[in-house]
Each structure stands twice: as structure tokens, then as C-alpha cells.
């Protein structure tokens, strides 16, 4: 099997393996006010009786109609007269319901008793987080594999950006997850990417430049010029160059020595060849050419956690990237790195 440069994803794509608390269904809470509580606002009274919950959460329940006073839906700033019966129906927060099974479509490339390998489509968030508490790959994994609720993080051990497509591995047991995490930390999990970038980079090269959080835009990462970043190395090869919207665009293959957040996107921007369609690091005047960054993880290689033998998978380019290459008059013929052409 062809040896591939190892990829370190322990920094930005590996998920911490903390156990998730499984929250029970919350029971309705009833209590009756005293005369001493007359003249007080409802939210303050409820907060005093339900000290386990924050004031903001209680206010949200009132606004949602989850609190009643003598059987009638409460008003947000309602004043109490005393002796009212209060009924509170607690609701779990988005964060608390994030780890739930939901039907989410994603292609399955391989599955056995230990592993699930998926070809993540564009637009699918891997892990629940602010702004994306539901409809993630994790929710879909729990729907497909209910037993993965007993595995930390539902078996997910690494990530891809929301709009990056390609191969990901999910562990189906705690033992497999532990083994995969160790492989990630040892940089023995190998992954290769296809990317379409603006311009015509050198036929091949290595970008060694530290990456850290952008000093002015916290959403972005940036190459460090003042020592704030972390060591990052990207190797690339130019496979073909075409013309897209009147400008040169090149298909490249990238292999990583490190796995910093947005590493390929930041490094290619740093050499003047940002990814086509990249909303953060691309060329704004050409943003309409492609609706996402043109980046695809097409090959994944690791050691099977139980069988202890090398295993590898490849994933064809998604249709939107194929159409994009055709538009740029770039052919994949002779450039596919599948099992018969490593």
C-alpha cells in the first residue's frame, strides 16, 4: 500500500472524549405561592422556587407559554397577588437536546462491527455547536447507530468543515474510538484532499507557516507573522490548470503534516492561491463562481482498530466539484488516486 504523509488532526478536528451526561425527561413542577409573595413579579418568584435553573431560562419558559398561573398561561411581567398555583413545564435547552437521534442523510462508504466510514456531504455540520444544535452528522449517527449513545461523542473522533466534503471515520465502540484517537495523536491516520484554487501554484511545494486565530477577525484563522500561531505544514502538488471565469484555476492535491483549523484554506491563501468559492479566504469578487470552498477529502487510510491491518478508502469528487472542474476544462483522467492508481 502506498505510504501517505501522516495527518495530525489532534488540534482542530479531534473531539475531546468527555462523557456526555444523558439527561432525563423533566417532570412538571407545581407549587403554591404564599401571601408574602404578593406584589412580586412572576419570573422572580419562579426563580426563587427553582434555584436549579437560571433566570434567563425561566424567562424563556414564561415567554414560550411553559408556565401557567392558576391554569392560565402566564404573562412575562405578571405580578402575583399571593396563593396562586404555579405550574412550570421545564424544557431542555438546545445544548441539552443536541445529543439526540435524528434522521440525517449521509452516504456510508464502509461499515463493520468497529467502524463506520462516511462520505460527508457539503452543508452537513459534524458536531452540535452554537447555531447548529441539531441536524448534524452526530445526530444522524445516533439515528443510524442507537448503541453509539454509549460511546463518547457518539463515536466521532475528527471533523471536517461544514462545507468541506469527504471521508470521515466514526468509531462504533469505546475500544475502537480509543484506538483511533491514539492513531490520530501519533499522526498515523493519513488523509489526502483535492482542492481547486485560483491561480497557478508551483508544480509542487511545501508551505510551512504557523497558523493561529486572526488578530482582528475571530471567525478566521491566519498565518502568523508575530509568533502567535502553531506549527503547520502543508504539502501540495498541482495536477492541472484551467480557466474559470476568465481566470486561471488549478486542481491540486494536498497532504498535511499537521491539522490546524482551516489549514489548507489559510495556507493556499498565504501563497496567493485561495480556494475557489471560499467564503472566508477566497476572492470576494469571484464568490458567485462556487457556493462553498472547493475542498474534498478523497482518501483516508488508517490501521483497523481490531484487525490491526492497514485499511483505506477513497471517495469520488461530489457532483458539484465535478461540474466545476468541467467548467474550468480540467479533466480528472489520470489524476484519480484510487486503489488501482495510488
Amino acid at each position: 500500500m502506498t505510504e501517505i504523509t501522516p495527518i495530525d488532526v489532534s488540534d482542530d478536528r479531534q473531539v475531546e472524549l468527555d462523557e456526555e451526561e444523558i439527561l432525563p425527561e423533566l417532570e412538571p413542577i407545581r407549587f403554591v405561592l404564599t401571601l408574602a409573595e404578593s406584589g412580586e413579579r412572576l419570573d422572580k418568584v419562579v426563580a426563587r422556587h427553582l434555584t436549579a435553573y437560571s433566570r434567563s431560562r425561566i424567562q424563556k419558559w414564561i415567554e414560550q407559554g411553559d408556565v401557567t398561573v392558576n391554569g392560565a398561561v402566564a404573562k412575562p411581567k405578571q405580578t402575583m397577588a399571593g396563593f396562586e398555583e404555579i405550574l412550570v413545564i421545564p424544557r431542555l435547552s438546545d445544548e441539552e437536546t443536541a445529543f439526540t437521534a435524528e434522521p440525517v442523510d449521509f452516504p456510508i462508504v464502509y461499515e463493520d462491527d468497529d467502524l463506520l466510514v462516511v462520505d460527508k456531504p457539503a452543508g452537513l455540520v459534524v458536531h452540535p455547536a452554537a447555531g447548529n444544535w441539531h441536524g448534524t452528522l452526530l445526530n444522524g449517527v445516533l439515528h443510524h447507530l442507537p448503541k453509539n449513545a454509549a460511546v463518547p461523542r457518539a463515536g466521532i473522533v475528527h471533523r471536517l468543515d461544514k462545507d468541506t466534503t469527504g471521508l470521515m471515520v466514526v468509531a462504533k465502540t469505546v475500544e475502537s474510538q480509543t484506538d483511533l484517537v491514539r492513531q490520530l495523536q501519533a499522526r498515523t491516520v493519513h488523509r489526502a484532499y483535492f482542492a481547486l484554487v485560483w491561480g497557478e501554484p508551483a508544480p509542487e511545494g511545501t508551505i510551512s507557516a504557523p497558523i493561529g486565530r486572526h488578530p482582528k477577525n475571530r471567525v478566521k484563522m491566519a498565518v502568523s507573522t508575530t509568533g502567535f500561531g502553531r506549527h503547520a505544514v502543508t504539502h501540495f502538488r498541482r495536477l492541472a490548470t484551467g480557466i474559470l471565469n476568465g481566470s486561471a484555476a488549478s486542481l491540486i492535491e494536498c497532504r498535511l503534516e499537521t491539522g490546524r483549523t482551516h489549514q489548507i484554506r489559510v495556507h493556499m491563501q498565504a501563497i496567493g492561491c485561495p480556494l475557489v468559492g471560499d467564503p472566508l479566504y477566497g476572492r470576494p469578487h469571484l464568490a458567485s463562481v462556487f457556493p462553498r470552498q472547493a475542498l474534498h477529502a478523497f482518501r483516508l487510510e488508517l490501521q483497523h482498530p481490531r484487525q490491526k491491518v492497514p485499511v483505506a478508502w477513497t471517495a469520488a469528487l461530489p457532483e458539484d466539484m465535478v461540474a466545476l472542474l468541467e467548467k474550468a476544462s480540467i479533466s480528472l483522467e489520470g489524476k484519480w488516486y484510487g486503489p488501482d492508481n495510488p
Side-chain angles (χ1 to χ4, degrees):
M1 182 175 292
T2 301
E3 187 172 344
I4 301 177
T5 305
I7 300 170
D8 171 17
V9 296
S10 60
D11 174 56
D12 66 305
R13 287 190 292 268
Q14 180 184 322
V15 182
E16 294 179 1
L17 302 180
D18 298 330
E19 290 286 353
E20 284 298 320
E21 180 183 3
I22 299 176
L23 296 173
E25 290 296 321
L26 301 179
E27 296 292 334
I29 302 169
R30 294 178 185 271
F31 56 91
V32 178
L33 301 187
T34 66
L35 181 61
E37 292 173 305
S38 64
E40 293 193 56
R41 265 178 39 174
L42 173 66
D43 56 348
K44 293 182 179 180
V45 172
V46 174
R48 186 165 58 249
H49 281 264
L50 277 62
T51 57
Y53 301 101
S54 69
R55 183 81 169 271
S56 61
R57 180 178 292 198
I58 289 169
Q59 289 174 334
K60 185 175 181 180
W61 289 340
I62 295 173
E63 293 168 358
Q64 293 175 166
D66 296 325
V67 179
T68 63
V69 177
N70 292 334
V73 175
K75 300 177 181 178
K77 296 182 180 181
Q78 188 170 345
T79 300
M80 299 295 96
F83 301 113
E84 292 94 340
E85 181 184 66
I86 309 299
L87 172 64
V88 180
I89 303 174
R91 304 290 183 186
L92 296 174
S93 67
D94 290 337
E95 295 91 331
E96 291 166 339
T97 61
F99 284 74
T100 56
E102 299 174 5
V104 177
D105 291 331
F106 53 84
I108 296 174
V109 176
Y110 174 83
E111 184 172 5
D112 62 20
D113 292 339
D114 304 287
L115 301 176
L116 176 70
V117 179
V118 305
D119 184 3
K120 191 189 83 65
L124 180 59
V125 174
V126 171
H127 195 272
N132 295 284
W133 291 116
H134 297 283
T136 69
L137 176 63
L138 182 145
N139 300 121
V141 166
L142 289 175
H143 185 267
H144 178 69
L145 301 170
K147 291 183 179 180
N148 266 40
V151 183
R153 303 295 183 184
I156 291 177
V157 295
H158 64 102
R159 305 178 194 171
L160 290 174
D161 292 337
K162 175 182 177 181
D163 288 325
T164 297
T165 57
L167 294 169
M168 291 185 60
V169 62
V170 178
K172 295 177 68 172
T173 66
V174 173
E175 293 78 11
S176 294
Q177 187 180 55
T178 301
D179 186 271
L180 289 172
V181 169
R182 288 172 178 168
Q183 291 187 52
L184 289 167
Q185 292 171 338
R187 303 185 183 184
T188 57
V189 174
H190 312 301
R191 199 178 328 192
Y193 298 76
F194 280 140
L196 188 68
V197 302
W198 291 113
E200 188 171 359
E204 60 182 35
T206 296
I207 305 169
S208 180
I211 292 175
R213 189 68 58 183
H214 194 287
K216 296 182 179 179
N217 185 341
R218 305 305 293 173
V219 175
K220 300 175 66 173
M221 307 300 288
V223 166
S224 169
T225 56
T226 59
F228 68 83
R230 300 183 66 187
H231 177 65
V233 178
T234 302
H235 303 286
F236 69 88
R237 277 199 309 155
R238 175 165 49 85
L239 304 176
T241 299
I243 300 296
L244 190 61
N245 276 32
S247 299
S250 299
L251 176 66
I252 63 171
E253 177 203 358
C254 293
R255 313 215 176 179
L256 310 181
E257 285 190 15
T258 55
R260 310 308 178 201
T261 301
H262 300 172
Q263 179 172 319
I264 292 174
R265 300 164 66 185
V266 172
H267 270 174
M268 295 313 298
Q269 181 200 41
I271 65 170
C273 298
L275 270 62
V276 171
D278 194 323
L280 281 179
Y281 308 102
R283 296 178 176 176
H285 65 290
L286 294 172
S288 62
V289 173
F290 199 57
R292 64 179 182 88
Q293 64 265 14
L295 184 62
H296 177 67
F298 75 90
R299 183 173 173 87
L300 174 66
E301 181 182 345
L302 50 86
Q303 178 179 267
H304 193 282
R306 183 191 299 268
Q307 300 170 8
K308 304 302 180 185
V309 296
V311 287
W313 301 272
T314 54
L317 279 175
E319 292 182 359
D320 61 349
M321 280 191 67
V322 171
L324 183 65
L325 293 181
E326 290 177 350
K327 186 177 180 180
S329 299
I330 293 176
S331 172
L332 278 176
E333 185 177 354
K335 302 174 182 66
W336 175 247
Y337 289 75
D340 299 324
N341 187 23

